[in-house]
Amino acid sequence: MYRTHNCGELNIKHCNYIVTLSGWVDSIRLMKNITFIDIRDFYGITQLLIPSIKKKIKKEYLIQIKGKVVKRKSPNYNINTGNIEVYVNKLKILNKSIKIPIDIKKEYSRNKVNLLKYRYLYLRNFNLKNNLIIKSKILNLIRNFFIKNNFIEIETPLLVKSTSEGARNFIVPYRKKKGYYYSLPQSPQTFKQLLMIGGIDKYYQIVKCFRDEDIRKDRQPEFTQLDFELSFINRKNIFNIIIKFIKYLLYKIHNIKFINIKILSYKYIIKKYYTDKPDLRFKIYEISKKYFKYYINSNYLNYKIYSLILPNYFNIIDINKYVIINLLKDQNNKVLIYNYKNSITNRLDKKVFKNINFIKNIIKKEFFSKKDLLLFLILNDNKNYKKLINKINNFLLRSKYLNNIYIPIIIYKFPLFKYRKGKFYSYHHPFTNPYNGKLINNINKIFADSYDLIINGIEIGSGSIRIDNYNMQKKIFNILGLSKNIIKKEFNYFLESLKFGTPPHGGMGIGIDRLILSLFNKKDIMDFIAFPKNYLNKDLMIKAPSKIIKI
RNA sequence: GGUUUGGUAGUUCAAAUUGGUUUAGAAUACGUGCCUGUCACGCACGAGGUUACGGGUUCAAAUCCCGUCCAAACCGCCA
């Protein structure tokens, strides 16, 4: 027997037990007549006490010991097993280790070669290991949620057909006929729609997807997606499921019971935040010059004025210090602070503003609660004001007060197409239904029945109500400029399928790694993948891609 | 595909102002020894470098130039 207990479970209750433990040597503290060894396994660290050590033990040796659990003279409160130690009387080396090329305990900056090359060693790192545990738990929660809601998990093929639409495909040569290829799927899109046509009412799948594009901090060439699709639903039905799902996760993970998920149109979002993935944990935006003549005094016409809404979870004293110190470096800049109270008592800085309604309006529309604050940042219109705003923005984003705040948004009513280089492209994908099921002549003004889920500025997933009508699908392909030949070769099977009584259906794909990033306020997708690829889409550990060795 | 930055002990990083005798350092890891209570143990000593590789310029190259390889960030791309 290799062990009676693991290295993370022994405590004061186990005193006088004779135990056997196996694990890696985490650290050695050697003295003349006494030696301490920290032994580590998946579950934790236990201190061993060895009166006289005879064997040569080095770091990362795998050892097995037998001994008695005793109370420590001086406890270490930093670890779970800190009250006890094991008085060793048998020690066996199970496997030796050479000097290791990375420092397991260290937190490295991103993407060091050795972290990827010796990824199996860095998996022994406490944080990385914990991240993988988190991911496993979340996958479990996801499955629970969908099973509870009567979805069934169905696998779709990974060897599929290459299409000219969308991201580049990874291709796989076909052995039986030269010049023919499979492609790895970018998503199970058409397959899940075919499942709906096949009468599978509610489907979900946790599935690998592949996109041959360059990576970013939140992007890998192969990634895991939560994919789901349902029949006989409309947009609102799906929003309800998304809301229920996010609430479920936040409750199970962070014990957050009340959360307000906003549903906003694309038009509104873009107009207001100039981005389709805003982070609403605080709001900072420039007040458009067109309002100036009504609301701003003429002395300030040449200034840039930003409004900054700070919800009550910020510590205003900290923010004050930073924002004001930064802004007032240049004496011409100015900061004005309003809360709910002094805006209704009509406090007005007459030097700057003409009209209190301006301020009241912002407060009415933008405040989450009456404890929020509205700051006006009145900036000299020199070249540095953008840098300053950026700095403040970054400062707020890094703030510890944001750590447990989640503001999910569902954005809907995207454009159906985007026009680029003389061609129309699908904004979402070519199977998306138009917003009210009808096309109009002005293609630029057609909206889509599609939606994105954003949490704290991270795009978690997107989906749509799909086209369930043969003619509509054909029209969309035509607008996209797909030739008859391409339609026939790439999508014939799909078009055909729409002729057989297709149910109304829709769904969504959610990037699981990004979901985790947003739920844990993390930035780097690699931290949640056991064996990630580097910036050239290479695996430095197994050295892939590689030439094929012919035997 | 484009732009930019970088490659120095096993590892993480410095310095070496414009080429000039620098001992190319530190921390950590490693080795040897000392230490009865450590827990990031401590202390002493030691070993460790063809400055990524190849070529060029020069009396002289870590430093300047060219090429190759490797790495990082951003843009493009991600229907």
Side-chain angles (χ1 to χ4, degrees):
Chain A
M1 185 164 57
Y2 285 108
R3 58 187 180 195
T4 57
H5 295 77
N6 67 51
C7 295
E9 67 176 316
L10 294 175
N11 58 47
I12 205 83
K13 287 177 204 155
H14 298 91
C15 276
N16 297 323
Y17 279 40
I18 305 295
V19 297
T20 304
L21 299 177
S22 292
W24 289 270
V25 174
D26 193 74
S27 70
I28 306 166
R29 295 177 289 281
L30 182 76
M31 278 153 279
K32 193 179 179 184
N33 293 319
I34 189 170
T35 297
F36 296 103
I37 291 178
D38 287 341
I39 184 176
R40 161 174 41 78
D41 67 7
F42 181 80
Y43 307 94
I45 283 177
T46 301
Q47 175 165 288
L48 308 177
L49 184 155
I50 304 170
S52 64
I53 191 157
K54 283 164 198 142
K55 287 184 181 122
K56 198 97 187 152
I57 304 289
K58 296 181 189 177
K59 283 192 180 179
E60 300 305 325
Y61 272 29
L62 185 67
I63 60 171
Q64 181 186 21
I65 60 96
K66 193 173 177 186
K68 190 168 153 187
V69 179
V70 294
K71 194 180 166 187
R72 277 202 209 184
K73 276 185 185 172
S74 50
N76 177 355
Y77 299 107
N78 295 325
I79 56 174
N80 290 339
T81 60
N83 280 320
I84 56 93
E85 60 200 1
V86 178
Y87 192 98
V88 173
N89 50 35
K90 258 190 202 167
L91 190 156
K92 187 179 168 192
I93 296 173
L94 294 176
N95 226 331
K96 290 184 178 179
S97 167
I98 60 168
K99 199 162 110 181
I100 62 169
I102 59 165
D103 189 342
I104 286 172
K105 287 183 188 174
K106 196 179 155 92
E107 290 309 308
Y108 286 86
S109 61
R110 184 167 197 256
N111 256 357
K112 295 285 175 207
V113 180
N114 280 348
L115 292 193
L116 296 175
K117 192 170 168 189
Y118 296 100
R119 191 68 171 179
Y120 50 90
L121 289 178
Y122 202 53
L123 290 175
R124 295 179 190 175
N125 176 276
F126 183 78
N127 286 323
L128 182 53
K129 181 197 75 186
N130 274 352
N131 286 347
L132 296 177
I133 295 171
I134 284 172
K135 190 168 174 179
S136 167
K137 283 183 180 164
I138 286 181
L139 289 174
N140 199 20
L141 286 175
I142 290 172
R143 290 209 163 90
N144 281 343
F145 176 86
F146 281 94
I147 289 166
K148 224 165 70 183
N149 285 284
N150 300 319
F151 285 74
I152 66 165
E153 182 160 7
I154 298 178
E155 289 180 298
T156 51
L158 289 184
L159 292 174
V160 301
K161 185 173 187 156
S162 177
T163 61
S164 48
E165 286 283 301
R168 277 186 287 265
N169 295 303
F170 285 101
I171 57 169
V172 181
Y174 178 58
R175 181 169 53 86
K176 305 249 181 193
K177 196 168 182 183
K178 222 181 172 183
Y180 281 69
Y181 300 90
Y182 293 107
S183 149
L184 301 178
Q186 301 170 29
S187 88
Q189 185 58 40
T190 53
F191 284 101
K192 68 173 170 178
Q193 290 190 241
L194 293 169
L195 287 175
M196 294 302 109
I197 294 169
I200 308 294
D201 203 55
K202 293 174 168 183
Y203 138 96
Y204 85 102
Q205 184 183 190
I206 290 169
V207 60
K208 270 282 177 77
C209 299
F210 305 86
R211 288 177 195 177
D212 187 9
E213 302 293 349
D214 287 357
I215 74 155
R216 290 287 183 273
K217 272 203 183 74
D218 59 357
R219 219 155 79 189
Q220 282 270 310
E222 53 175 308
F223 59 98
T224 311
Q225 184 168 306
L226 160 65
D227 197 48
F228 66 89
E229 194 85 5
L230 323 69
S231 292
F232 306 107
I233 42 87
N234 60 25
R235 182 187 335 125
K236 280 183 185 166
N237 301 142
I238 292 203
F239 289 177
N240 285 337
I241 289 169
I242 297 168
I243 289 167
K244 202 169 156 193
F245 175 60
I246 294 300
K247 281 186 174 172
Y248 174 82
L249 285 182
L250 283 172
Y251 175 66
K252 289 283 184 184
I253 295 165
H254 295 305
N255 203 25
I256 295 173
K257 285 171 190 155
F258 302 101
I259 190 145
N260 183 16
I261 298 175
K262 292 183 180 299
I263 299 173
L264 301 166
S265 77
Y266 173 80
K267 198 173 161 189
Y268 176 85
I269 288 280
I270 288 288
K271 201 175 157 192
K272 200 142 194 190
Y273 305 107
Y274 307 105
T275 168
D276 56 3
K277 35 190 175 201
D279 186 340
L280 297 190
R281 287 175 299 173
F282 60 89
K283 305 175 191 175
I284 185 166
Y285 49 90
E286 190 182 342
I287 289 168
S288 160
K289 287 269 175 192
K290 72 179 176 191
Y291 293 118
F292 273 40
K293 62 181 169 187
Y294 304 113
Y295 301 114
I296 310 293
N297 263 320
S298 52
N299 319 354
Y300 284 90
L301 284 183
N302 291 325
Y303 279 62
K304 296 279 177 187
I305 302 185
Y306 284 81
S307 68
L308 169 59
I309 316 284
L310 287 182
N312 63 346
Y313 39 75
F314 280 99
N315 179 338
I316 190 64
I317 296 166
D318 277 15
I319 308 296
N320 262 357
K321 263 191 220 160
Y322 183 85
V323 171
I324 290 175
I325 285 170
N326 245 298
L327 286 177
L328 299 187
K329 268 181 197 161
D330 183 341
Q331 293 301 320
N332 288 323
N333 293 337
K334 203 168 178 170
V335 180
L336 297 173
I337 301 176
Y338 288 84
N339 60 26
Y340 185 79
K341 241 184 188 174
N342 64 28
S343 85
I344 51 175
T345 56
N346 287 329
R347 199 205 82 179
L348 185 68
D349 190 314
K350 285 183 179 160
K351 275 185 190 163
V352 183
F353 297 112
K354 285 182 192 167
N355 191 336
I356 186 73
N357 289 334
F358 178 65
I359 296 158
K360 279 187 174 171
N361 257 337
I362 294 180
I363 288 178
K364 198 172 152 194
K365 276 191 190 161
E366 302 294 338
F367 272 25
F368 290 105
S369 79
K370 289 184 179 178
K371 289 175 188 165
D372 294 359
L373 288 178
L374 168 63
L375 278 68
F376 285 105
L377 317 176
I378 298 159
L379 306 178
N380 211 354
D381 189 4
N382 59 26
K383 280 175 190 166
N384 288 327
Y385 76 92
K386 272 192 179 164
K387 268 188 192 166
L388 205 55
I389 290 295
N390 244 331
K391 251 179 153 179
I392 291 168
N393 204 34
N394 287 338
F395 168 79
L396 293 170
L397 276 177
R398 280 197 309 270
S399 162
K400 63 184 173 196
Y401 305 114
L402 292 182
N403 275 351
N404 214 19
I405 306 293
Y406 302 92
I407 303 192
I409 324 166
I410 295 168
I411 304 177
Y412 71 104
K413 206 176 175 186
F414 284 84
L416 189 57
F417 301 105
K418 56 189 167 191
Y419 188 74
R420 225 171 29 197
K421 292 175 195 163
K423 238 183 114 180
F424 284 104
Y425 292 87
S426 288
Y427 200 94
H428 182 53
H429 62 50
F431 314 110
T432 305
N433 208 32
Y435 188 67
N436 44 20
K438 279 178 193 166
L439 294 175
I440 54 171
N441 287 336
N442 188 344
I443 293 175
N444 283 310
K445 288 196 174 165
I446 303 173
F447 290 101
D449 211 345
S450 66
Y451 32 84
D452 274 9
L453 173 65
I454 312 288
I455 300 179
N456 294 354
I458 299 176
E459 187 187 335
I460 306 299
S462 61
S464 60
I465 301 296
R466 324 298 183 187
I467 295 167
D468 54 26
N469 178 290
Y470 172 82
N471 288 324
M472 175 66 77
Q473 187 65 69
K474 240 185 153 179
K475 274 183 201 163
I476 298 288
F477 281 152
N478 284 336
I479 292 172
L480 292 172
L482 299 184
S483 69
K484 269 188 184 168
N485 193 21
I486 286 186
I487 293 172
K488 201 178 171 192
K489 274 190 174 161
E490 293 186 353
F491 296 111
N492 198 43
Y493 71 98
F494 186 71
L495 271 176
E496 280 293 303
S497 75
L498 292 175
K499 291 176 180 168
F500 297 98
T502 304
H505 63 287
M508 194 168 202
I510 289 180
I512 285 180
D513 302 290
R514 286 189 186 178
L515 176 70
I516 297 171
L517 291 185
S518 75
L519 291 180
F520 289 88
N521 218 4
K522 294 279 169 59
K523 292 279 174 309
D524 195 339
I525 194 171
M526 282 194 189
D527 293 342
F528 291 89
I529 296 176
F531 300 106
K533 300 211 167 24
N534 85 343
Y535 81 115
L536 286 175
N537 289 355
K538 289 184 192 167
D539 186 319
L540 298 181
M541 184 178 68
I542 61 176
K543 292 212 169 69
S546 64
K547 289 182 178 170
I548 289 174
I549 302 163
K550 284 185 182 159
I551 303 165

